[in-house]
């Protein structure tokens, strides 16, 4: 143990001192091996004087220069493995030839000739053994210190309890090395905690250079997102990567560890402070009831299912037309139920299209769901613009099919997941979603139908990290080294986290009286160019533009895609009504009476069957208030047919 404790001071010595020490050890070994060589030859110990002293002097004069030239002392403690043994052997051979040539071949009076052979062999063994000992004694500790020094250096923002626990955990981390704290409390600046100095956040840029800092770890689990935004704004100029600890709720069980760290996601910046959900509203239409979710494998549908299983329904029916998405979700929820110990919940994965009336009737008549959340839809604007007939069939006729099946089977609650693109749409997707809303409004308002089902719809904007959204796309482009592609410098969108949106959908549906159009409060819209820039800067990189031509990631403007709007809206009118929930409003918007809408939908269905896109767009303009197509028809089939006609005409 004493030898082990001596290792650290040894490694801490200056390089010159280490070289002098190693040289002294080798010189001592030269003296020792000459003395041993005489003993092995004569069978008795001799005094190192006279001729024996000459043998020692010659050994030192020959060995040390050869060892120096061979590079024994360039890297003292790294040079102790197999390469070191090879180097020692080569140097010892050269030394042995010269030493043996003098004392064995030529001979010196008073020195036995065999000493010229025995001593070089002993020297090779002893020097080799010394290097092996150095490797055993110092090698592991040296490698550990080298690896520690090579680890990315980080500062911990927050010298509180979480920060101190994180620093302690990082003492044994093989990934990161803490070199100090940042804290807002000026009274702590200059203090030392756990061997780490506390600095002012204002000094971050200088610390990045002086300490070689690459990352900042936010150890402020109780800080609000607003406060995190302020901190991030201070750190952007320093060009460091930022990671964070989860919330205190996530850390309530157990101590803080480095595995708790995660990349500071964009939702930490765009997401608002969560409003405590109303558990009465959450459970009202779910707890102990049969619940069906269409489009269960999608971004919103899958999150709805995750929220629903926590509310203990009797059964959850997963309706999805994508086999892989359904399988993946079913596996995830099955594992989740095992953890929650909700063995009584029946989880039923059902392959089905909402456009298949027989299949939807079959499912609903078999399980008699109490609540249906209709999330099945085609939502990608350019994709639907290029395939308008399929988009309308799925979004409008699929909604009508699912709604009629639900009504005929006595479903109590039917909630449609809608979109802000339904407001004054410029694209087929938005127009189809508004028409789907009108279908439910009209069904709900028609007394002759005598349906007991309460139809409602919940309208909101983009959700972070949904399939096809800009956030995962930008994240991948940054990982690939850029550029980030942006359709227009002034595009703005509303954003909300997927879990918040799903919770609000469930609570809004629980307030429905029939025909309600609920609108979620999305906060302030976000400029997508600013979002892209912030995502680049959060990774510690810089934006390549006119102000910084040498930046890391460029932002390229590609032009608006078919049907894309610069700005999105949530309300058609300006008369939203407040509800009992601060984040949920109710809109009052016009719709066609059911008999008239039925006729219009029948005509629309005929136009869709023959893929007459021009007529379809004209009918949508007549049906959907504010729908103004933003460009020419870009349906792939239509354009290919037009191209074929033009080629045929040219041939004549």
């Amino acid at each position: 143990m004493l030898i082990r404790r001596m290792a650290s001071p040894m490694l801490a010595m200056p390089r010159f001192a280490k070289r002098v020490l190693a040289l002294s050890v080798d010189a001592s070994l030269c003296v020792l091996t000459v003395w041993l060589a005489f003993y092995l030859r004569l069978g008795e110990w001799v005094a190192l004087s006279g001729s024996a002293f000459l043998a020692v002097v010659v050994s030192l004069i020959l060995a040390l220069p050869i060892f120096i030239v061979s590079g024994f002392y360039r890297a003292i403690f790294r040079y102790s493995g197999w390469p070191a043994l090879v180097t020692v052997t080569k140097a010892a051979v050269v030394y042995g030839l010269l030493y043996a040539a003098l004392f064995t071949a030529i001979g010196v009076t008073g020195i036995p000739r065999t000493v010229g052979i025995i001593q070089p062999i002993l020297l090779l063994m002893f020097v080799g053994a010394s290097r092996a000992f150095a490797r055993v004694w110092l090698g592991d500790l040296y490698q550990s210190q080298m690896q520690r020094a090579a680890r990315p250096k980080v500062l911990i923002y927050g010298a509180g309890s979480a920060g101190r626990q994180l620093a302690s955990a990082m003492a044994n981390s093989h990934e990161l090395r803490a070199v100090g704290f940042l804290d807002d409390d000026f009274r702590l600046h200059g203090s030392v905690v756990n061997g780490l100095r506390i600095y002012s956040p204002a000094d971050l840029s200088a610390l990045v250079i002086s300490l070689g800092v690459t990352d900042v770890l936010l150890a402020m689990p109780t800080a609000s997102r607003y406060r995190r935004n302020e901190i991030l704004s201070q750190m952007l100029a320093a060009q460091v990567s930022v990671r964070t600890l989860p919330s205190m709720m996530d850390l309530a069980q157990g101590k803080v560890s480095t595995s708790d760290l995660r990349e500071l996601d964009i939702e930490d910046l765009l997401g608002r402070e969560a409003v405590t959900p109303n558990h009465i509203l959450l459970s009202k239409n779910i707890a102990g009831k049969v619940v069906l979710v269409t489009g269960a494998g999608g971004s919103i549908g899958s999150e709805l299912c995750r929220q629903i299983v926590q509310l203990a329904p009797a059964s959850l029916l997963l309706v999805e037309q994508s086999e892989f998405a359904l399988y993946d979700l079913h596996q995830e929820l099955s594992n989740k139920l095992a953890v929650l110990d909700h063995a009584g919940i029946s989880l039923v994965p059902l392959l089905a299209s909402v456009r298949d009336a027989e299949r939807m009737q079959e499912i609903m008549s078999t399980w008699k769901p109490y609540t249906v959340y209709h999330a099945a839809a085609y939502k990608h604007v350019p994709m639907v613009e290029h395939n308008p007939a399929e988009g309308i069939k799925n979004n409008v006729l699929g909604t009508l099919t699912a709604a009629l099946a639900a009504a005929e089977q006595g479903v109590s609650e039917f909630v449609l997941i809608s979109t802000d693109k339904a407001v004054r749409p410029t694209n087929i997707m938005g127009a189809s979603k508004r028409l789907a809303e009108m279908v439910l409004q009209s069904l709900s308002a028609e007394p002759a139908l005598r349906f007991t089902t309460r139809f409602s719809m919940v309208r909101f904007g983009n959700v972070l990290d949904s399939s096809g959204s800009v956030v995962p796309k930008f994240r991948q482009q940054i990982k690939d080294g850029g550029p980030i592609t942006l359709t227009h410098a002034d595009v703005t969108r509303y954003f909300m986290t997927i879990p918040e949106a799903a919770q609000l959908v469930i609570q809004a549906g629980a307030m429905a009286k029939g025909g309600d159009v609920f609108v979620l409060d999305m906060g302030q819209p976000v400029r997508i160019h600013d979002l892209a820039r912030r995502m680049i800067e959060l990774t510690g990189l810089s934006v390549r533009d006119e102000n910084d031509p040498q930046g890391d990631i460029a932002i390229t403007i590609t032009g608006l895609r078919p049907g894309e709007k610069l700005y999105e809206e949530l309300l058609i009118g300006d008369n939203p009504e407040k509800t009992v929930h601060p984040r949920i409003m109710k809109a009052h918007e016009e719709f066609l009476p059911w008999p008239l809408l039925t006729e219009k939908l029948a005509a629309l269905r005929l136009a869709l069957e023959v893929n007459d896109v021009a007529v379809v767009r004209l009918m949508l303009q007549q049906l959907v208030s504010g729908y103004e197509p933003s460009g020419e028809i870009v349906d792939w089939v239509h354009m290919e047919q037009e191209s074929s006609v033009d080629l045929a005409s040219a041939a004549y």
Side-chain angles (χ1 to χ4, degrees):
M1 292 300 293
L2 178 61
I3 293 177
R4 283 287 181 186
R5 286 198 296 269
M6 292 173 60
S8 293
M10 188 71 67
L11 288 175
M13 292 171 59
R15 181 173 292 275
F16 177 75
K18 292 176 185 176
R19 289 177 174 174
V20 170
L21 177 62
L23 194 64
S24 301
V25 169
D26 290 344
S28 300
L29 292 177
C30 288
V31 176
L32 178 62
T33 53
V34 169
W35 193 33
L36 285 174
F38 271 91
Y39 172 77
L40 293 173
R41 172 64 181 82
L42 301 175
E44 61 181 19
W45 298 105
V46 299
L48 295 178
S49 60
S51 57
F53 181 72
L54 176 62
V56 169
V57 172
V58 171
S59 177
L60 292 171
I61 291 174
L62 290 177
L64 296 183
I66 290 173
F67 289 175
I68 292 171
V69 171
S70 298
F72 274 26
Y73 313 113
R74 290 177 192 154
I76 307 302
F77 302 113
R78 282 175 291 173
Y79 220 41
S80 54
W82 176 252
L85 184 58
V86 172
T87 302
V88 168
T89 303
K90 290 179 180 178
V93 168
V94 173
Y95 164 79
L97 290 174
L98 295 175
Y99 199 78
L102 179 59
F103 293 110
T104 302
I106 298 175
V108 175
T109 303
I111 301 176
R113 291 180 182 273
T114 51
V115 168
I117 297 174
I118 296 172
Q119 194 272 342
I121 295 174
L122 291 174
L123 185 61
L124 170 61
M125 293 171 58
F126 276 68
V127 172
S130 71
R131 296 309 188 265
F133 175 73
R135 179 177 181 83
V136 173
W137 180 33
L138 303 171
D140 291 343
L141 181 59
Y142 178 81
Q143 292 299 326
S144 174
Q145 289 186 356
M146 290 297 292
Q147 290 171 4
R148 176 176 168 78
R151 278 178 261 164
K153 297 177 182 178
V154 304
L155 288 169
I156 299 173
Y157 201 118
S161 174
R164 293 194 298 272
Q165 288 184 52
L166 180 58
S168 298
M170 290 180 63
N172 300 316
S173 171
H174 299 292
E175 301 173 3
L176 301 169
R177 177 186 172 197
V179 295
F181 289 99
L182 297 173
D183 201 279
D184 298 322
D185 190 344
F186 69 91
R187 295 170 297 181
L188 299 177
H189 297 164
S191 302
V192 176
V193 176
N194 293 344
L196 300 175
R197 184 174 295 277
I198 302 176
Y199 301 97
S200 167
D203 298 331
L204 178 59
S205 296
L207 293 171
V208 167
I209 298 172
S210 62
L211 299 179
V213 173
T214 59
D215 297 71
V216 173
L217 311 179
L218 284 184
M220 303 177 69
T222 59
S224 66
R225 286 200 173 109
Y226 178 79
R227 177 63 187 135
R228 291 189 186 192
N229 262 306
E230 289 184 330
I231 293 171
L232 261 295
S233 298
Q234 295 173 1
M235 291 193 290
L236 290 179
Q239 292 188 2
V240 290
S241 180
V242 182
R243 282 186 266 183
T244 185
L245 286 172
S247 66
M248 281 303 291
M249 185 175 295
D250 296 328
L251 296 176
Q253 304 297 325
K255 295 182 178 179
V256 176
S257 71
T258 54
S259 62
D260 293 316
L261 290 167
R262 59 178 173 81
E263 297 299 323
L264 185 68
D265 213 336
I266 200 68
E267 70 180 49
D268 290 305
L269 304 173
L270 299 185
R272 301 158 298 164
E273 295 303 314
V275 171
T276 303
N278 184 323
H279 291 284
I280 296 176
L281 292 177
L282 281 176
S283 301
K284 180 182 176 184
N285 294 336
I286 293 175
K289 298 178 172 64
V290 178
V291 181
L292 184 151
V293 178
T294 69
S299 302
I300 291 296
S302 61
E303 182 59 30
L304 278 169
C305 293
R306 294 183 193 102
Q307 302 275 351
I308 289 167
V309 294
Q310 296 186 58
L311 298 169
S315 299
L316 176 57
L317 312 179
L318 314 173
V319 175
E320 172 60 56
Q321 66 176 342
S322 167
E323 180 188 31
F324 174 75
L326 182 61
Y327 169 81
D328 195 44
L329 178 65
H330 183 242
Q331 292 298 307
E332 178 192 337
L333 295 180
S334 297
N335 295 334
K336 191 179 187 73
L337 286 176
V339 172
L340 293 172
D341 196 25
H342 287 175
I345 297 177
S346 174
L347 203 61
V348 186
L350 296 162
L351 280 170
S353 167
V354 293
R355 290 161 55 182
D356 187 338
E358 290 184 9
R359 178 65 168 160
M360 295 306 295
Q361 287 281 359
E362 179 183 57
I363 290 171
M364 294 196 192
S365 65
T366 301
W367 279 277
K368 300 290 184 182
Y370 182 89
T371 306
V372 172
Y373 294 100
H374 181 55
Y378 291 145
K379 303 182 182 76
H380 194 271
V381 170
M383 191 66 71
V384 174
E385 204 69 15
H386 287 298
N387 301 273
E390 291 303 303
I392 295 169
K393 288 177 185 177
N394 194 69
N395 294 357
V396 179
L397 303 183
T399 297
L400 176 59
T401 299
L404 289 175
E408 290 171 17
Q409 297 303 324
V411 170
S412 180
E413 310 289 338
F414 187 98
V415 184
L416 168 69
I417 312 302
S418 192
T419 171
D420 58 354
K421 294 171 180 61
V423 178
R424 282 179 277 276
T426 59
N427 51 70
I428 297 289
M429 195 282 279
S432 68
K433 292 298 287 183
R434 174 57 192 143
L435 189 52
E437 291 179 355
M438 292 171 63
V439 166
L440 298 191
Q441 287 178 287
S442 186
L443 280 173
S444 186
E446 180 53 48
L449 295 176
R450 301 180 181 276
F451 290 146
T452 59
T453 302
R454 277 190 292 269
F455 295 104
S456 62
M457 52 232 78
V458 185
R459 184 190 295 164
F460 53 93
N462 297 274
V463 287
L464 294 170
D465 267 353
S466 66
S467 58
S469 78
V470 296
V471 173
K473 175 185 173 184
F474 287 175
R475 189 181 292 118
Q476 185 61 47
Q477 288 176 334
I478 292 171
K479 188 179 295 185
D480 294 339
I484 281 183
T485 54
L486 187 64
T487 59
H488 195 286
D490 295 323
V491 168
T492 62
R493 293 290 183 266
Y494 289 98
F495 282 100
M496 177 180 285
T497 64
I498 296 178
E500 183 184 15
Q503 278 193 353
L504 291 175
V505 165
I506 293 172
Q507 292 173 86
M511 293 188 286
K513 294 181 173 61
D516 313 82
V517 180
F518 293 108
V519 179
L520 303 187
D521 176 7
M522 300 289 294
Q524 296 300 314
V526 176
R527 187 166 174 258
I528 304 301
H529 191 279
D530 296 338
L531 171 63
R533 176 177 286 274
R534 181 62 63 92
M535 289 185 69
I536 292 171
E537 292 168 337
L538 278 177
T539 59
L541 303 174
S542 59
V543 179
R544 188 188 313 145
D545 55 18
E546 295 177 356
N547 298 325
D548 186 6
Q550 302 303 315
D552 302 299
I553 305 289
I555 299 177
T556 303
I557 306 300
T558 60
L560 289 173
R561 297 170 298 179
E564 190 172 22
K565 294 171 70 174
L566 280 178
Y567 309 98
E568 300 291 2
E569 304 167 89
L570 289 167
L571 295 166
I572 296 175
D574 56 359
N575 57 341
E577 177 185 331
K578 291 183 178 181
T579 68
V580 295
H581 197 290
R583 293 277 169 84
I584 303 173
M585 300 176 289
K586 187 189 291 188
H588 298 278
E589 295 173 357
E590 297 178 355
F591 58 92
L592 297 177
W594 178 246
L596 178 58
L597 182 60
T598 303
E599 294 178 8
K600 298 287 186 181
L601 289 177
L604 178 62
R605 193 189 299 266
L606 292 175
L608 291 171
E609 292 301 325
V610 296
N611 198 41
D612 192 334
V613 184
V615 172
V616 166
R617 295 216 311 183
L618 183 60
M619 294 187 69
L620 284 179
Q621 284 181 276
Q622 295 173 351
L623 285 166
V624 178
S625 174
Y627 171 51
E628 292 293 338
S630 61
E632 299 298 320
I633 296 173
V634 292
D635 171 50
W636 295 124
V637 175
H638 175 85
M639 290 192 297
E640 185 64 23
Q641 290 173 343
E642 289 291 311
S643 176
S644 299
V645 170
D646 291 342
L647 288 173
S649 300
Y652 287 104

